[in-house]
Amino acid sequence: MGLGGGLVTFFLCLLFFAAPSASSTNLLPIIPFDEGYAPLFGDNNLVIHRDGKTVHLSLDERTGSGFVSHDLYLHGYFSASIKLPADYTAGVVVAFYMSNGDMFQNNHDEIDFEFLGNIRGKDWRIQTNVYGNGSTSIGREERYGLWFDPAEDFHQYSILWTDSQIIFYVDNVPIREIKRTESMGGDFPSKPMTLYATIWDASDWATNGGKYRVNYKYAPYVAEFSDLVLHGCAVDPIEHEAKCDNAQTSKAVPTGVTPAQRIKMENFRKKHMTYSYCYDKVRYKVPPTECVINPQEAERLRKFDPVTFGGGRRRHGKRHYRSRGSQAEEAAAF
């Protein structure tokens, strides 16, 4: 590696181990698309705008579209401001996620934000999910409504991934925290991953289990991405070694959700969470070992859906549905 490459790696390490806080994340460097990303698929359905820092991904009858980061990363803070398509969006899925499925087909890791479209008059839903070491038999999905219309303006969606935790943020508000436990074993994402953004036709499952499909008379469906942040340790694509491992003891490494953030997170989950795998008694007679059961959450979800969260008999053939491993439906109003 030349001197220039070494300096780039050095500064990436400094950036990563300066912990992003709710007040500092907006100060992170936003790099032009061409410096950090490349088109993944979709040809002309991917369009770069505004000094190379805003990207439009569209879905039409011909194809969806997507982009991917140049580099692999092992841990970091990854963020984008996203404006979703408006009007009738049933069957449409916009995803902002990390994965290494192209390298580890049988034991891949994944950290997902998935945005699920809906029929006219119904809100977009947001879903988070995590896989580790190919643990796709255990879907770790949670699903939420939002306190705003994500098609009206840009909002920031972020992933913090360290060796001990994963935190999902919406507009700097933590909405979900996953702490690595010994019982998870290899199910916690621990291999280098690439960052992806896509829009695609998921008519078979995304809206009411496939009842409502993509209607291409409303196409093109356009998702706008801006303020793209890659704030992590790049990994050598051959050796798969992170360049920042020697700084793991830095006091600036994120240590978790602050007390003030935890209040916001609990309020969000109380008002907006409509599904959590930990409470799904239809799928799991016994919750997966990493689940920490909150009695208040359990009771609220049981009242919301007595069948799924109360373990009653399911009628009319209603069932759960998958995305990359996603299941369950419905959203809540603020």
Side-chain angles (χ1 to χ4, degrees):
M1 178 182 292
L3 177 60
L7 288 174
V8 169
T9 299
F10 172 75
F11 283 114
L12 279 172
C13 292
L14 288 180
L15 285 172
F16 173 56
F17 288 103
S21 67
S23 59
S24 67
T25 51
N26 291 333
L27 302 178
L28 297 176
I30 297 168
I31 61 175
F33 178 85
D34 289 343
E35 291 184 18
Y37 310 87
L40 179 64
F41 71 101
D43 300 324
N44 294 333
N45 281 14
L46 184 154
V47 179
I48 302 171
H49 294 274
R50 211 183 72 194
D51 299 328
K53 294 184 179 180
T54 295
V55 183
H56 289 188
L57 298 181
S58 63
L59 166 68
D60 56 28
E61 288 183 280
R62 183 177 58 89
T63 183
S65 53
F67 61 84
V68 59
S69 64
H70 289 312
D71 293 326
L72 291 160
Y73 295 90
L74 183 60
H75 309 142
Y77 180 87
F78 309 93
S79 183
S81 291
I82 305 172
K83 183 179 178 182
L84 298 174
D87 204 356
Y88 183 101
T89 55
V92 177
V93 170
V94 175
F96 179 69
Y97 66 103
M98 304 193 73
S99 178
N100 49 32
D102 57 339
M103 295 180 296
F104 302 98
Q105 295 182 3
N106 297 320
N107 62 334
H108 84 287
D109 304 309
E110 198 165 309
I111 304 174
D112 299 335
F113 264 119
E114 291 179 305
F115 306 91
L116 311 181
N118 219 327
I119 60 175
R120 181 182 285 134
K122 298 291 186 179
D123 297 329
W124 278 86
R125 294 142 303 153
I126 183 173
Q127 178 166 280
T128 61
N129 201 359
V130 171
Y131 296 133
N133 203 34
S135 58
T136 54
S137 61
I138 302 176
R140 292 182 169 86
E141 311 89 351
E142 287 190 352
R143 192 170 294 186
Y144 328 86
L146 292 167
W147 65 93
F148 53 82
D149 181 351
E152 284 188 350
D153 204 350
F154 286 92
H155 291 270
Q156 185 182 27
Y157 305 91
S158 310
I159 296 167
L160 175 64
W161 172 39
T162 75
D163 63 351
S164 61
Q165 65 185 341
I166 296 165
I167 302 174
F168 294 89
Y169 299 84
V170 177
D171 286 341
N172 291 325
V173 175
I175 65 168
R176 183 181 184 185
E177 175 188 35
I178 300 169
K179 293 184 177 180
R180 185 174 194 166
T181 64
E182 184 176 351
S183 64
M184 291 182 75
D187 287 0
F188 188 90
S190 57
K191 298 185 290 294
M193 290 191 279
T194 307
L195 185 70
Y196 294 86
T198 57
I199 184 171
W200 53 291
D201 183 333
S203 291
D204 289 343
W205 65 267
T207 310
N208 199 18
K211 179 179 179 180
Y212 300 106
R213 306 178 68 82
V214 174
N215 187 336
Y216 284 104
K217 80 175 186 179
Y218 297 101
Y221 296 96
V222 180
E224 304 175 50
F225 289 76
S226 68
D227 300 337
L228 298 165
V229 173
L230 290 172
H231 181 76
C233 288
V235 171
D236 185 292
I238 298 176
E239 300 294 334
H240 287 184
E241 293 182 358
K243 304 301 181 182
C244 303
D245 286 353
N246 59 356
Q248 286 288 351
T249 57
S250 169
K251 293 181 180 180
V253 173
T255 56
V257 179
T258 67
Q261 288 176 324
R262 189 164 299 282
I263 291 172
K264 291 183 178 181
M265 181 170 67
E266 290 175 355
N267 286 339
F268 171 86
R269 295 172 68 82
K270 184 185 300 183
K271 295 177 181 178
H272 300 290
M273 187 170 74
T274 60
Y275 177 84
S276 171
Y277 77 105
C278 284
Y279 302 98
D280 189 333
K281 294 187 177 181
V282 175
R283 292 170 67 193
Y284 304 116
K285 302 304 180 186
V286 177
T289 55
E290 75 271 9
C291 289
V292 177
I293 300 301
N294 179 318
Q296 288 76 30
E297 280 187 347
E299 178 62 14
R300 189 184 67 80
L301 289 173
R302 186 187 65 79
K303 290 180 178 179
F304 174 74
D305 184 344
V307 174
T308 301
F309 304 114
R313 178 178 296 178
R314 187 168 296 285
R315 293 172 292 179
H316 307 304
K318 183 179 177 184
R319 57 191 176 88
H320 297 300
Y321 303 91
R322 291 181 63 95
S323 57
R324 255 183 294 273
S326 62
Q327 303 196 6
E329 281 284 319
E330 291 305 319
F334 184 23

